[in-house]
Amino acid sequence: MLDIAYSNLLSPMILFFLIGIVAVVVNSDLKVPTAFYTGYTMIILFTIGIKGGVELRYVSLLEMVPTIIAAVLLSIIMLYVAYFFVHTVFSYSVLDSWAVAAHYGSVSAVTFVAGLAFLDKMGIFYEAYMSAILVIMEGPAIILAIIMYKLYLQKKGTTEDNPHASIQHVVKEAFFGKSIFLLLGGIFIGFVAHEEGLVLIKPLFGDLFYGVLCIFLLHMGMIATQSIKQMKNIKFISFLFAFLLPIIGGTLGVVTGHMIGLSMGGAFILAVLTGSASYIAAPAAIAQAIPEANSGIYLGSALGLTLPFNLVFGIPYFYWVATLLN
């Protein structure tokens, strides 16, 4: 496992991420323009979707059903596991606990891409439809967490003065927010576009993908470090769940993937998804539905701690467990 971790640590993507961390630590004036960030985010998400859409042409829906069911169940399980740890073990409030749980029940597209890159580097096969599983796992836990929070408020007899937090609005944000919409759009394009057209867009949505991803991870390293620096007056031990939940989720994902007959690579990717935490779709929805929740807690844990942990240590651990079960 140490050899795998060492190899992963020296991959260009992780090195770019670490440079982003160093840039903030040494107070560099390095900045990434907002327009550039928006542009390469679109390229990354569209590329994932297009690749998945192309591969879906050759997969039957029946073949995907066991993985779809397992993915949704894992999302729900991780939602409640996260809530138990954050609320019961670490004694956070109900509203902060459901807010954090929504993030850990959902998934991270960046961790997913890093997992795919890891398998590509190792030359390991994985099921082509896993990009679709990424889309499926993003929304359910967010919606369920918000519903559970609203039920809690009703039980307390508390009413919300938040006209923007309707269930319809939250569903729209969770299932059709920027990241999901771009992934779904990419899947649609990859699924229906003719081969000649896909060849024409391959230089941007293909050849440049990993280079763009490295710049994206440089930026993510900067944002993650900034979010950690903003966590003031909170003891580090209170955020241990940010390291425990990826291990629990990743292990559950690998074991479940093995049980439903996924390849080793497929089980590894399911672990990467289950062990990750959303910091794009979930924050957008939670900010609307539970505005009282402390964004420093859910963003600091998901983006500032869990993302770096998974990129450096989680991915090698998930792969190691997958090889043990293979």
PDB file of all heavy atoms in Angstrom, residues 122-150:
ATOM      1  N   MET A 122      -2.608   3.002 -14.157  1.00  0.00           N
ATOM      2  CA  MET A 122      -2.297   1.612 -13.805  1.00  0.00           C
ATOM      3  C   MET A 122      -2.714   0.634 -14.901  1.00  0.00           C
ATOM      4  O   MET A 122      -2.379  -0.543 -14.837  1.00  0.00           O
ATOM      5  CB  MET A 122      -3.016   1.239 -12.511  1.00  0.00           C
ATOM      6  CG  MET A 122      -2.704   2.131 -11.327  1.00  0.00           C
ATOM      7  SD  MET A 122      -1.104   1.821 -10.580  1.00  0.00           S
ATOM      8  CE  MET A 122      -1.431   0.296  -9.704  1.00  0.00           C
ATOM      9  N   GLY A 123      -3.474   1.126 -15.900  1.00  0.00           N
ATOM     10  CA  GLY A 123      -3.935   0.266 -16.985  1.00  0.00           C
ATOM     11  C   GLY A 123      -4.986  -0.733 -16.534  1.00  0.00           C
ATOM     12  O   GLY A 123      -5.017  -1.871 -17.038  1.00  0.00           O
ATOM     13  N   ILE A 124      -5.866  -0.333 -15.630  1.00  0.00           N
ATOM     14  CA  ILE A 124      -6.861  -1.246 -15.055  1.00  0.00           C
ATOM     15  C   ILE A 124      -8.247  -0.951 -15.617  1.00  0.00           C
ATOM     16  O   ILE A 124      -8.668   0.212 -15.697  1.00  0.00           O
ATOM     17  CB  ILE A 124      -6.875  -1.130 -13.523  1.00  0.00           C
ATOM     18  CG1 ILE A 124      -5.533  -1.606 -12.967  1.00  0.00           C
ATOM     19  CG2 ILE A 124      -8.013  -1.942 -12.904  1.00  0.00           C
ATOM     20  CD1 ILE A 124      -5.358  -1.375 -11.491  1.00  0.00           C
ATOM     21  N   PHE A 125      -8.946  -1.992 -15.993  1.00  0.00           N
ATOM     22  CA  PHE A 125     -10.292  -1.881 -16.562  1.00  0.00           C
ATOM     23  C   PHE A 125     -11.308  -1.469 -15.492  1.00  0.00           C
ATOM     24  O   PHE A 125     -11.205  -1.859 -14.337  1.00  0.00           O
ATOM     25  CB  PHE A 125     -10.705  -3.237 -17.161  1.00  0.00           C
ATOM     26  CG  PHE A 125     -12.173  -3.341 -17.489  1.00  0.00           C
ATOM     27  CD1 PHE A 125     -12.666  -2.829 -18.681  1.00  0.00           C
ATOM     28  CD2 PHE A 125     -13.054  -3.944 -16.593  1.00  0.00           C
ATOM     29  CE1 PHE A 125     -14.025  -2.921 -18.975  1.00  0.00           C
ATOM     30  CE2 PHE A 125     -14.406  -4.041 -16.887  1.00  0.00           C
ATOM     31  CZ  PHE A 125     -14.891  -3.527 -18.085  1.00  0.00           C
ATOM     32  N   TYR A 126     -12.294  -0.699 -15.908  1.00  0.00           N
ATOM     33  CA  TYR A 126     -13.441  -0.381 -15.057  1.00  0.00           C
ATOM     34  C   TYR A 126     -14.673  -0.246 -15.946  1.00  0.00           C
ATOM     35  O   TYR A 126     -14.565   0.024 -17.151  1.00  0.00           O
ATOM     36  CB  TYR A 126     -13.218   0.901 -14.249  1.00  0.00           C
ATOM     37  CG  TYR A 126     -12.879   2.114 -15.080  1.00  0.00           C
ATOM     38  CD1 TYR A 126     -13.886   2.951 -15.581  1.00  0.00           C
ATOM     39  CD2 TYR A 126     -11.559   2.442 -15.369  1.00  0.00           C
ATOM     40  CE1 TYR A 126     -13.579   4.061 -16.344  1.00  0.00           C
ATOM     41  CE2 TYR A 126     -11.247   3.551 -16.134  1.00  0.00           C
ATOM     42  CZ  TYR A 126     -12.256   4.350 -16.616  1.00  0.00           C
ATOM     43  OH  TYR A 126     -11.952   5.445 -17.386  1.00  0.00           O
ATOM     44  N   GLU A 127     -15.840  -0.434 -15.368  1.00  0.00           N
ATOM     45  CA  GLU A 127     -17.083  -0.387 -16.136  1.00  0.00           C
ATOM     46  C   GLU A 127     -17.291   0.996 -16.747  1.00  0.00           C
ATOM     47  O   GLU A 127     -17.109   2.022 -16.080  1.00  0.00           O
ATOM     48  CB  GLU A 127     -18.274  -0.745 -15.239  1.00  0.00           C
ATOM     49  CG  GLU A 127     -18.433  -2.229 -14.977  1.00  0.00           C
ATOM     50  CD  GLU A 127     -17.381  -2.807 -14.041  1.00  0.00           C
ATOM     51  OE1 GLU A 127     -16.629  -2.010 -13.432  1.00  0.00           O
ATOM     52  OE2 GLU A 127     -17.304  -4.037 -13.916  1.00  0.00           O
ATOM     53  N   ALA A 128     -17.720   1.008 -17.998  1.00  0.00           N
ATOM     54  CA  ALA A 128     -17.813   2.256 -18.752  1.00  0.00           C
ATOM     55  C   ALA A 128     -18.894   3.190 -18.232  1.00  0.00           C
ATOM     56  O   ALA A 128     -18.830   4.396 -18.462  1.00  0.00           O
ATOM     57  CB  ALA A 128     -18.088   1.940 -20.231  1.00  0.00           C
ATOM     58  N   TYR A 129     -19.880   2.646 -17.527  1.00  0.00           N
ATOM     59  CA  TYR A 129     -21.019   3.467 -17.124  1.00  0.00           C
ATOM     60  C   TYR A 129     -20.820   4.169 -15.775  1.00  0.00           C
ATOM     61  O   TYR A 129     -21.763   4.774 -15.252  1.00  0.00           O
ATOM     62  CB  TYR A 129     -22.290   2.618 -17.069  1.00  0.00           C
ATOM     63  CG  TYR A 129     -22.197   1.384 -16.203  1.00  0.00           C
ATOM     64  CD1 TYR A 129     -22.271   1.465 -14.812  1.00  0.00           C
ATOM     65  CD2 TYR A 129     -22.043   0.118 -16.771  1.00  0.00           C
ATOM     66  CE1 TYR A 129     -22.180   0.341 -14.009  1.00  0.00           C
ATOM     67  CE2 TYR A 129     -21.957  -1.017 -15.986  1.00  0.00           C
ATOM     68  CZ  TYR A 129     -22.031  -0.905 -14.607  1.00  0.00           C
ATOM     69  OH  TYR A 129     -21.941  -2.019 -13.826  1.00  0.00           O
ATOM     70  N   MET A 130     -19.622   4.134 -15.216  1.00  0.00           N
ATOM     71  CA  MET A 130     -19.430   4.732 -13.893  1.00  0.00           C
ATOM     72  C   MET A 130     -19.633   6.252 -13.890  1.00  0.00           C
ATOM     73  O   MET A 130     -19.967   6.833 -12.864  1.00  0.00           O
ATOM     74  CB  MET A 130     -18.042   4.386 -13.352  1.00  0.00           C
ATOM     75  CG  MET A 130     -17.829   2.886 -13.082  1.00  0.00           C
ATOM     76  SD  MET A 130     -19.127   2.100 -12.088  1.00  0.00           S
ATOM     77  CE  MET A 130     -18.832   2.831 -10.482  1.00  0.00           C
ATOM     78  N   SER A 131     -19.462   6.905 -15.044  1.00  0.00           N
ATOM     79  CA  SER A 131     -19.756   8.340 -15.109  1.00  0.00           C
ATOM     80  C   SER A 131     -21.233   8.602 -14.839  1.00  0.00           C
ATOM     81  O   SER A 131     -21.604   9.598 -14.208  1.00  0.00           O
ATOM     82  CB  SER A 131     -19.374   8.901 -16.481  1.00  0.00           C
ATOM     83  OG  SER A 131     -17.985   8.838 -16.686  1.00  0.00           O
ATOM     84  N   ALA A 132     -22.088   7.704 -15.322  1.00  0.00           N
ATOM     85  CA  ALA A 132     -23.523   7.837 -15.063  1.00  0.00           C
ATOM     86  C   ALA A 132     -23.821   7.613 -13.581  1.00  0.00           C
ATOM     87  O   ALA A 132     -24.708   8.248 -13.004  1.00  0.00           O
ATOM     88  CB  ALA A 132     -24.313   6.845 -15.918  1.00  0.00           C
ATOM     89  N   ILE A 133     -23.075   6.724 -12.951  1.00  0.00           N
ATOM     90  CA  ILE A 133     -23.257   6.468 -11.513  1.00  0.00           C
ATOM     91  C   ILE A 133     -22.877   7.708 -10.708  1.00  0.00           C
ATOM     92  O   ILE A 133     -23.512   8.036  -9.698  1.00  0.00           O
ATOM     93  CB  ILE A 133     -22.412   5.253 -11.071  1.00  0.00           C
ATOM     94  CG1 ILE A 133     -22.833   3.998 -11.854  1.00  0.00           C
ATOM     95  CG2 ILE A 133     -22.564   5.013  -9.571  1.00  0.00           C
ATOM     96  CD1 ILE A 133     -24.298   3.632 -11.714  1.00  0.00           C
ATOM     97  N   LEU A 134     -21.859   8.429 -11.165  1.00  0.00           N
ATOM     98  CA  LEU A 134     -21.493   9.698 -10.529  1.00  0.00           C
ATOM     99  C   LEU A 134     -22.687  10.648 -10.506  1.00  0.00           C
ATOM    100  O   LEU A 134     -23.003  11.248  -9.467  1.00  0.00           O
ATOM    101  CB  LEU A 134     -20.323  10.330 -11.291  1.00  0.00           C
ATOM    102  CG  LEU A 134     -20.038  11.817 -11.036  1.00  0.00           C
ATOM    103  CD1 LEU A 134     -19.554  12.045  -9.619  1.00  0.00           C
ATOM    104  CD2 LEU A 134     -19.022  12.340 -12.049  1.00  0.00           C
ATOM    105  N   VAL A 135     -23.367  10.771 -11.637  1.00  0.00           N
ATOM    106  CA  VAL A 135     -24.527  11.659 -11.726  1.00  0.00           C
ATOM    107  C   VAL A 135     -25.639  11.197 -10.793  1.00  0.00           C
ATOM    108  O   VAL A 135     -26.257  11.991 -10.077  1.00  0.00           O
ATOM    109  CB  VAL A 135     -25.045  11.728 -13.186  1.00  0.00           C
ATOM    110  CG1 VAL A 135     -26.325  12.543 -13.260  1.00  0.00           C
ATOM    111  CG2 VAL A 135     -23.976  12.318 -14.097  1.00  0.00           C
ATOM    112  N   ILE A 136     -25.891   9.892 -10.787  1.00  0.00           N
ATOM    113  CA  ILE A 136     -26.974   9.322  -9.976  1.00  0.00           C
ATOM    114  C   ILE A 136     -26.736   9.549  -8.488  1.00  0.00           C
ATOM    115  O   ILE A 136     -27.672   9.806  -7.726  1.00  0.00           O
ATOM    116  CB  ILE A 136     -27.121   7.817 -10.284  1.00  0.00           C
ATOM    117  CG1 ILE A 136     -27.702   7.628 -11.685  1.00  0.00           C
ATOM    118  CG2 ILE A 136     -27.987   7.106  -9.242  1.00  0.00           C
ATOM    119  CD1 ILE A 136     -27.603   6.216 -12.214  1.00  0.00           C
ATOM    120  N   MET A 137     -25.480   9.503  -8.045  1.00  0.00           N
ATOM    121  CA  MET A 137     -25.173   9.592  -6.616  1.00  0.00           C
ATOM    122  C   MET A 137     -25.116  11.028  -6.091  1.00  0.00           C
ATOM    123  O   MET A 137     -25.039  11.228  -4.885  1.00  0.00           O
ATOM    124  CB  MET A 137     -23.839   8.897  -6.312  1.00  0.00           C
ATOM    125  CG  MET A 137     -23.873   7.393  -6.473  1.00  0.00           C
ATOM    126  SD  MET A 137     -22.313   6.593  -6.000  1.00  0.00           S
ATOM    127  CE  MET A 137     -22.385   6.714  -4.206  1.00  0.00           C
ATOM    128  N   GLU A 138     -25.175  12.007  -6.969  1.00  0.00           N
ATOM    129  CA  GLU A 138     -24.964  13.382  -6.506  1.00  0.00           C
ATOM    130  C   GLU A 138     -26.161  13.948  -5.737  1.00  0.00           C
ATOM    131  O   GLU A 138     -26.000  14.616  -4.726  1.00  0.00           O
ATOM    132  CB  GLU A 138     -24.649  14.303  -7.690  1.00  0.00           C
ATOM    133  CG  GLU A 138     -24.296  15.704  -7.282  1.00  0.00           C
ATOM    134  CD  GLU A 138     -22.926  16.127  -7.737  1.00  0.00           C
ATOM    135  OE1 GLU A 138     -22.483  15.691  -8.806  1.00  0.00           O
ATOM    136  OE2 GLU A 138     -22.278  16.905  -7.023  1.00  0.00           O
ATOM    137  N   GLY A 139     -27.383  13.659  -6.182  1.00  0.00           N
ATOM    138  CA  GLY A 139     -28.539  14.353  -5.643  1.00  0.00           C
ATOM    139  C   GLY A 139     -29.306  13.744  -4.480  1.00  0.00           C
ATOM    140  O   GLY A 139     -29.762  14.481  -3.589  1.00  0.00           O
ATOM    141  N   PRO A 140     -29.509  12.410  -4.437  1.00  0.00           N
ATOM    142  CA  PRO A 140     -30.443  11.830  -3.453  1.00  0.00           C
ATOM    143  C   PRO A 140     -30.161  12.191  -2.000  1.00  0.00           C
ATOM    144  O   PRO A 140     -31.089  12.543  -1.254  1.00  0.00           O
ATOM    145  CB  PRO A 140     -30.291  10.319  -3.681  1.00  0.00           C
ATOM    146  CG  PRO A 140     -29.883  10.197  -5.105  1.00  0.00           C
ATOM    147  CD  PRO A 140     -29.004  11.378  -5.368  1.00  0.00           C
ATOM    148  N   ALA A 141     -28.917  12.121  -1.572  1.00  0.00           N
ATOM    149  CA  ALA A 141     -28.594  12.393  -0.170  1.00  0.00           C
ATOM    150  C   ALA A 141     -28.841  13.860   0.182  1.00  0.00           C
ATOM    151  O   ALA A 141     -29.254  14.171   1.307  1.00  0.00           O
ATOM    152  CB  ALA A 141     -27.141  12.020   0.126  1.00  0.00           C
ATOM    153  N   ILE A 142     -28.594  14.757  -0.767  1.00  0.00           N
ATOM    154  CA  ILE A 142     -28.832  16.182  -0.512  1.00  0.00           C
ATOM    155  C   ILE A 142     -30.316  16.419  -0.256  1.00  0.00           C
ATOM    156  O   ILE A 142     -30.702  17.073   0.717  1.00  0.00           O
ATOM    157  CB  ILE A 142     -28.344  17.031  -1.707  1.00  0.00           C
ATOM    158  CG1 ILE A 142     -26.836  16.854  -1.919  1.00  0.00           C
ATOM    159  CG2 ILE A 142     -28.680  18.500  -1.488  1.00  0.00           C
ATOM    160  CD1 ILE A 142     -26.315  17.521  -3.182  1.00  0.00           C
ATOM    161  N   ILE A 143     -31.150  15.868  -1.124  1.00  0.00           N
ATOM    162  CA  ILE A 143     -32.598  16.035  -0.986  1.00  0.00           C
ATOM    163  C   ILE A 143     -33.084  15.415   0.320  1.00  0.00           C
ATOM    164  O   ILE A 143     -33.859  16.024   1.067  1.00  0.00           O
ATOM    165  CB  ILE A 143     -33.333  15.393  -2.173  1.00  0.00           C
ATOM    166  CG1 ILE A 143     -32.896  16.043  -3.481  1.00  0.00           C
ATOM    167  CG2 ILE A 143     -34.841  15.508  -1.998  1.00  0.00           C
ATOM    168  CD1 ILE A 143     -33.155  17.523  -3.559  1.00  0.00           C
ATOM    169  N   LEU A 144     -32.627  14.206   0.625  1.00  0.00           N
ATOM    170  CA  LEU A 144     -33.081  13.510   1.831  1.00  0.00           C
ATOM    171  C   LEU A 144     -32.646  14.249   3.094  1.00  0.00           C
ATOM    172  O   LEU A 144     -33.413  14.346   4.066  1.00  0.00           O
ATOM    173  CB  LEU A 144     -32.556  12.072   1.840  1.00  0.00           C
ATOM    174  CG  LEU A 144     -33.043  11.174   2.981  1.00  0.00           C
ATOM    175  CD1 LEU A 144     -34.567  11.148   3.031  1.00  0.00           C
ATOM    176  CD2 LEU A 144     -32.484   9.768   2.823  1.00  0.00           C
ATOM    177  N   ALA A 145     -31.426  14.781   3.095  1.00  0.00           N
ATOM    178  CA  ALA A 145     -30.942  15.534   4.265  1.00  0.00           C
ATOM    179  C   ALA A 145     -31.815  16.754   4.522  1.00  0.00           C
ATOM    180  O   ALA A 145     -32.157  17.056   5.675  1.00  0.00           O
ATOM    181  CB  ALA A 145     -29.490  15.960   4.048  1.00  0.00           C
ATOM    182  N   ILE A 146     -32.188  17.440   3.460  1.00  0.00           N
ATOM    183  CA  ILE A 146     -33.025  18.629   3.612  1.00  0.00           C
ATOM    184  C   ILE A 146     -34.423  18.254   4.092  1.00  0.00           C
ATOM    185  O   ILE A 146     -35.010  18.935   4.939  1.00  0.00           O
ATOM    186  CB  ILE A 146     -33.072  19.409   2.285  1.00  0.00           C
ATOM    187  CG1 ILE A 146     -31.682  19.987   1.990  1.00  0.00           C
ATOM    188  CG2 ILE A 146     -34.119  20.518   2.340  1.00  0.00           C
ATOM    189  CD1 ILE A 146     -31.485  20.460   0.583  1.00  0.00           C
ATOM    190  N   ILE A 147     -34.956  17.163   3.566  1.00  0.00           N
ATOM    191  CA  ILE A 147     -36.274  16.689   4.018  1.00  0.00           C
ATOM    192  C   ILE A 147     -36.224  16.334   5.499  1.00  0.00           C
ATOM    193  O   ILE A 147     -37.129  16.699   6.274  1.00  0.00           O
ATOM    194  CB  ILE A 147     -36.733  15.478   3.180  1.00  0.00           C
ATOM    195  CG1 ILE A 147     -37.064  15.926   1.753  1.00  0.00           C
ATOM    196  CG2 ILE A 147     -37.947  14.801   3.819  1.00  0.00           C
ATOM    197  CD1 ILE A 147     -37.344  14.795   0.804  1.00  0.00           C
ATOM    198  N   MET A 148     -35.177  15.630   5.914  1.00  0.00           N
ATOM    199  CA  MET A 148     -35.049  15.252   7.329  1.00  0.00           C
ATOM    200  C   MET A 148     -34.932  16.482   8.222  1.00  0.00           C
ATOM    201  O   MET A 148     -35.483  16.525   9.321  1.00  0.00           O
ATOM    202  CB  MET A 148     -33.834  14.344   7.518  1.00  0.00           C
ATOM    203  CG  MET A 148     -33.939  12.984   6.837  1.00  0.00           C
ATOM    204  SD  MET A 148     -35.391  12.045   7.364  1.00  0.00           S
ATOM    205  CE  MET A 148     -35.032  11.800   9.098  1.00  0.00           C
ATOM    206  N   TYR A 149     -34.219  17.497   7.744  1.00  0.00           N
ATOM    207  CA  TYR A 149     -34.102  18.718   8.520  1.00  0.00           C
ATOM    208  C   TYR A 149     -35.449  19.427   8.640  1.00  0.00           C
ATOM    209  O   TYR A 149     -35.815  19.918   9.710  1.00  0.00           O
ATOM    210  CB  TYR A 149     -33.063  19.644   7.890  1.00  0.00           C
ATOM    211  CG  TYR A 149     -32.950  20.965   8.602  1.00  0.00           C
ATOM    212  CD1 TYR A 149     -32.510  21.025   9.922  1.00  0.00           C
ATOM    213  CD2 TYR A 149     -33.309  22.151   7.975  1.00  0.00           C
ATOM    214  CE1 TYR A 149     -32.424  22.232  10.603  1.00  0.00           C
ATOM    215  CE2 TYR A 149     -33.225  23.364   8.646  1.00  0.00           C
ATOM    216  CZ  TYR A 149     -32.777  23.394   9.957  1.00  0.00           C
ATOM    217  OH  TYR A 149     -32.704  24.591  10.621  1.00  0.00           O
ATOM    218  N   LYS A 150     -36.211  19.465   7.553  1.00  0.00           N
ATOM    219  CA  LYS A 150     -37.532  20.102   7.597  1.00  0.00           C
ATOM    220  C   LYS A 150     -38.479  19.337   8.522  1.00  0.00           C
ATOM    221  O   LYS A 150     -39.297  19.948   9.231  1.00  0.00           O
ATOM    222  CB  LYS A 150     -38.104  20.197   6.178  1.00  0.00           C
ATOM    223  CG  LYS A 150     -37.428  21.263   5.325  1.00  0.00           C
ATOM    224  CD  LYS A 150     -38.058  21.366   3.956  1.00  0.00           C
ATOM    225  CE  LYS A 150     -37.428  22.502   3.169  1.00  0.00           C
ATOM    226  NZ  LYS A 150     -37.767  23.826   3.707  1.00  0.00           N
TER     227      LYS A 150
END
